[in-house]
Amino acid sequence: MKEQIKAQFKQRFGTDCVVYASAGRINLIGEHTDYNGGFVFPGAIDKYIMAAININGTDKVRVYSMDMDAYCEFGLNEEDAPQEQWARYIFGVCRETIKRGGIVKGFDTVFAGNVPLGAGLSSSAALESCFAFALNDMFNDNKIDKFELAKIGQSTEHNYCGVNCGIMDQFASVFGKKDCLMRLDCRSLEHEYFPFHPEGYKLVLLNSKVKHELVDSPYNKRRESCERVAATLGVETLRDASYTMLADVRDKISDEDYRRARYVIGEKQRVLDVCDALERGDYETVGRCMFETHDGLSRDYEVSCEELDYLNDVARECGVTGSRIMGGGFGGCTINLVKEDRYDNFIATAKEKFNAKYGHEPEVINVIISDGAHKVED
Ligand code: ADP
Ligand code: MG
């Protein structure tokens, strides 16, 4: 990818360039925990957005997107926002950097990527983090700290792309490290690296390619349930709740709220259990926790769907070590940890059975935990 981007840059702009990259991400465990003050456990993956860049001495940014085969030019003032969605990510990153007192001047860039779009791997965060990192390196002597770079990406989504996201995706893309997952405490924003090099296993996503849009905004309803239970317990968020505390208020809350809270409390503990297991290199326990998360999301939190439950069932039948819904639910991918010797059979079976039932094969996305934002050396 790097050579193609550099060649394209040379052809379009005729100067030398520097190449930067940032990654998409997975989340191994810790789902619907962010707004409950809990933990998430993401890692950057070997799927990147890569950009060749050079300062052009003007006050304009000139961008060519290889994947969209589209060109866009914009200034750096608030009123210069481009129409094209893909260019707004880059414009937003420039603006958010400037708003924080950072320097951004005109530059030329050609970029491309292999993070699947809209599959739940956060291609948008990869794009933002790539440019946030690049602008920091080119114009600001790397003085903007890494957490601020993640926030520049997050604010770009909020203020220029209409997506009210949390910090996990940009955090993972900026901080990602080869063979490491990162436990992010969504309350304190403290983070810690844990070793993840599952020798003899593969990590593979199966994208169901379905997305169920539900009428009564299930995401908000889940949040409201959690807030109600927290209020009944007299705690700020369910982060501070335990099973015992929940049992004590069982007759004061609805059965639905009870099950929602039961999932969240369990999920907090599972993230911690997975971290302990990884320090021992115990991937069987990691896998067991993933299945438990799936069950919790499906039965208690009720954010699964038929297709994802089916992929999960097939994983169990094929002796996969761990499998669960990844992301908010109601469609998208499952993430699977599978022993190498079971991999081929699992993939073939999942493709065949899913296709027979739903009329299309799931998309297979193999991932390796890799570095996040970085300069690509020659
Ligand atoms: P995701 O879950 O992958 O982040 P989003 O809808 O949030 O999905 O972001 C996808 C958007 O990001 C695309 O519509 C496009 O505007 C931009 N994008 C991502 N990857 C690329 C790419 N390789 N080239 C151009 N734009 C991209
Ligand atoms: Mg996105």
Side-chain angles (χ1 to χ4, degrees), residues 10-257:
K10 187 90 193 166
Q11 192 187 325
R12 290 201 161 247
F13 300 111
T15 62
D16 286 339
C17 58
V18 180
V19 181
Y20 297 89
S22 199
R25 61 104 191 89
I26 52 96
N27 184 34
L28 191 74
I29 199 159
E31 215 63 76
H32 285 280
T33 47
D34 52 351
Y35 52 86
N36 286 300
F39 302 103
V40 291
F41 200 45
I45 56 174
D46 57 333
K47 310 275 181 281
Y48 289 96
I49 294 283
M50 208 175 261
I53 309 187
N54 193 30
I55 299 172
N56 64 19
T58 75
D59 55 4
K60 291 258 183 311
V61 176
R62 305 190 292 184
V63 197
Y64 177 66
S65 159
M66 287 178 70
D67 300 323
M68 305 284 168
D69 186 20
Y71 175 81
C72 182
E73 204 173 297
F74 54 80
L76 288 164
N77 298 311
E78 197 60 30
E79 61 273 17
D80 297 327
Q83 290 301 314
E84 297 88 334
Q85 180 62 25
W86 61 268
R88 292 180 74 87
Y89 288 100
I90 300 166
F91 176 76
V93 168
C94 294
R95 288 298 309 159
E96 291 297 334
T97 302
I98 292 167
K99 283 185 206 169
R100 285 165 174 76
I103 296 167
V104 183
K105 295 183 182 147
F107 61 89
D108 297 333
T109 182
V110 168
F111 77 100
N114 59 5
V115 187
L117 271 63
L121 297 178
S122 233
S123 65
S124 63
L127 179 53
E128 291 144 11
S129 305
C130 178
F131 281 93
F133 186 92
L135 299 183
N136 193 28
D137 188 52
M138 290 192 312
F139 297 114
N140 296 282
D141 291 330
N142 289 303
K143 280 199 205 104
I144 307 172
D145 81 55
K146 281 173 108 182
F147 225 100
E148 210 53 42
L149 294 181
K151 287 186 181 158
I152 285 170
Q154 184 193 23
S155 302
T156 294
E157 301 257 2
H158 292 183
N159 299 331
Y160 299 93
C161 307
V163 180
N164 195 15
C165 60
I167 192 72
M168 172 173 79
D169 299 350
Q170 291 78 13
F171 163 81
S173 188
V174 171
F175 283 82
K177 205 154 92 177
K178 188 176 177 344
D179 297 333
C180 287
L181 296 178
M182 299 161 282
R183 187 178 70 200
L184 175 66
D185 181 331
C186 297
R187 183 164 65 182
S188 66
L189 296 183
E190 281 168 356
H191 63 277
E192 198 177 328
Y193 289 95
F194 288 84
F196 187 81
H197 29 81
E199 262 166 61
Y201 296 84
K202 278 176 182 275
L203 202 52
V204 59
L205 305 179
L206 293 182
N207 183 2
S208 67
K209 297 193 267 188
V210 300
K211 192 75 210 163
H212 299 282
E213 304 289 351
L214 299 182
V215 265
D216 52 359
S217 182
Y219 178 80
N220 289 335
K221 285 182 82 178
R222 298 301 180 285
R223 278 188 90 132
E224 283 159 22
S225 285
C226 295
E227 284 162 13
R228 267 197 301 275
V229 177
T232 308
L233 289 170
V235 294
E236 199 174 322
T237 62
L238 290 179
R239 164 70 175 271
D240 297 313
S242 66
Y243 285 136
T244 326
M245 290 161 73
L246 185 64
D248 287 343
V249 298
R250 182 159 195 178
D251 54 358
K252 295 203 186 89
I253 59 180
S254 71
D255 181 58
E256 189 175 284
D257 283 1

